[in-house]
Amino acid sequence: VITALCVLCAISFWLYKNKTSGSTLNKDARNFAVEDTSAITKIFLADKEGKSVTVEKKGNAWIVNGKYPARPDAISLLLYTMKMVDVKSPVSKAAREAVIKRMATSSIKVEIYEGEELIKQYYVGHESLDNDGSYMILTNLSNGENYDEPYLTFIPGFTGFLAPRYITDESEWRDRVVVNYIPPNLKTIKLELAENPDSSFVINLKSTTQFELKKLNGQDIAFDESKMKQYLAYFQNISYEKLLTNFNKKLCDSLRSAMPYMKLTITDTKNETKVFNFLHKNSTFEINKKYGIDYKYDPDRCFMRYDNDKEVALVQFYVFGKLLPTYVYFLPKNTVKK
């Protein structure tokens, strides 16, 4: 009897040990989430097309590839995803081989660091057939090998793809804000209207309460102070819609040689100057059909050159239009031209 009990105990211990070991391995293989994303200092992302980015925390800011400020919305969304990502279900044995094969050619590699330590590595693949999650496979950092099992992952409460949150294109990571001044930091604003030069103007800020409004020839223009203060408040968080640099070389080359129809020059109190050149974007049949008007130029968007004409972007009048009035905008009501 004692011998039989000993055998049973041994078998029970062996079963328990193997079950525990298996469950631990299973748990490790599905542990995609980073609990404390505030400790993350660097993220490396690379796709199978050769594009890669390193997003690194410098102080309180995130920098892309050591060159550009990262979009705050993009980094916030990525960190949230890394914290909340969870396993929806394992991949069935029947689908496993096909999922792994597809991930081998189209996944995004993700490396997450705390300081110089790699704390998590996984691959983000394609979405499921019913579009309710994305496939991922985790790397075992102890040996550098991927775990055998991929998983269908999701974010609780969200239906959609996760892969688009893992951006590998440098230009898509870049902060789209190009004009961001508070009034105390502004010194001079000059708007030159090539197609209506007499409506151009210059604003000189002597202080946050003392301003000058002049024509380009130096002639003083009377102005409504409340309108002036409102205009100066517009120069915060102004963003382009899409960066075109490196996307369409032929278009960008033609835009760099074209004459702008508007030119906005901003000088701050450190005597640093930025110039924004605006160029017409031709309208299309679809746009004219939408509005029922035969526009020559797109009424909603135009092109913009900036950063010493090195960069070209598409901008919306809805965003930039408030920075581009004629001087008539500032006139007191009783002097507005009719």
Side-chain angles (χ1 to χ4, degrees), residues 47-318:
D47 63 23
K48 298 295 183 178
E49 297 176 356
K51 291 183 291 186
S52 65
V53 294
T54 298
V55 190
E56 195 165 5
K57 194 174 185 179
K58 300 290 187 181
N60 293 322
W62 287 85
I63 307 299
V64 182
N65 288 341
K67 297 183 288 185
Y68 308 110
R71 282 169 44 203
D73 62 313
I75 191 65
S76 295
L77 183 60
L78 181 59
L79 292 175
Y80 175 80
T81 302
M82 290 176 168
K83 183 182 181 69
M84 300 303 296
V85 63
D86 200 357
V87 169
K88 189 176 186 70
S89 66
V91 177
S92 67
K93 289 183 179 180
R96 180 178 171 276
E97 184 178 349
V99 168
I100 292 176
K101 186 177 292 187
R102 183 168 174 184
M103 289 185 68
T105 60
S106 62
S107 61
I108 298 169
K109 183 181 183 180
V110 181
E111 296 178 2
I112 305 171
Y113 293 82
E114 288 184 8
E116 295 302 315
E117 181 186 359
L118 178 64
I119 62 164
K120 192 83 66 177
Q121 179 177 300
Y122 54 84
Y123 294 80
V124 183
H126 55 289
E127 65 278 4
S128 61
L129 290 176
D130 54 6
N131 298 329
D132 65 348
S134 298
Y135 292 108
M136 292 188 184
I137 192 165
L138 195 66
T139 301
N140 184 344
L141 295 182
S142 64
N143 60 19
E145 300 290 332
N146 293 336
Y147 287 103
D148 293 332
E149 299 295 330
Y151 290 90
L152 181 62
T153 64
F154 77 127
I155 291 180
F158 170 77
T159 301
F161 313 151
L162 301 186
R165 302 180 178 205
Y166 295 83
I167 302 168
T168 58
D169 191 316
E170 179 186 272
S171 64
E172 287 298 309
W173 263 109
R174 291 176 58 177
D175 190 350
R176 295 189 177 117
V177 174
V178 289
V179 178
N180 195 17
Y181 299 91
I182 58 173
N185 292 341
L186 289 166
K187 181 179 179 181
T188 304
I189 298 167
K190 179 166 66 172
L191 181 63
E192 300 170 79
L193 306 170
E195 297 174 347
N196 191 9
D198 290 341
S199 295
S200 305
F201 62 85
V202 178
I203 297 172
N204 297 312
L205 288 85
K206 296 182 177 181
S207 69
T208 55
T209 57
Q210 290 184 299
F211 322 105
E212 290 180 342
L213 178 65
K214 297 177 177 288
K215 292 188 176 182
L216 296 186
N217 62 10
Q219 178 185 341
D220 288 319
I221 305 172
F223 61 90
D224 184 307
E225 187 170 324
S226 63
K227 292 181 180 178
M228 176 65 73
K229 289 180 177 179
Q230 180 62 68
Y231 177 71
L232 297 175
Y234 287 148
F235 283 75
Q236 298 180 59
N237 298 312
I238 303 298
S239 306
Y240 59 73
E241 179 179 3
K242 182 179 182 180
L243 187 68
L244 301 178
T245 311
N246 301 326
F247 276 91
N248 189 327
K249 186 177 186 302
K250 185 177 180 180
L251 173 63
C252 289
D253 287 346
S254 68
L255 291 173
R256 288 192 179 99
S257 61
M259 289 294 294
Y261 74 97
M262 284 191 291
K263 180 178 180 181
L264 178 65
T265 304
I266 304 171
T267 302
D268 64 20
T269 51
K270 296 179 181 179
N271 288 319
E272 294 178 354
T273 297
K274 291 184 178 180
V275 179
F276 302 90
N277 290 297
F278 298 88
L279 305 107
H280 287 301
K281 176 181 178 292
N282 290 334
S283 190
T284 64
F285 172 80
E286 291 76 13
I287 292 173
N288 291 347
K289 183 179 179 181
K290 174 184 174 182
Y291 290 107
I293 300 174
D294 189 20
Y295 287 113
K296 180 178 181 181
Y297 301 118
D298 190 331
D300 298 320
R301 293 170 174 81
C302 69
F303 298 113
M304 181 182 74
R305 299 194 314 247
Y306 68 103
D307 194 12
N308 295 320
D309 288 348
K310 291 185 293 185
E311 305 283 10
V312 180
L314 183 67
V315 302
Q316 297 180 15
F317 290 122
Y318 176 79

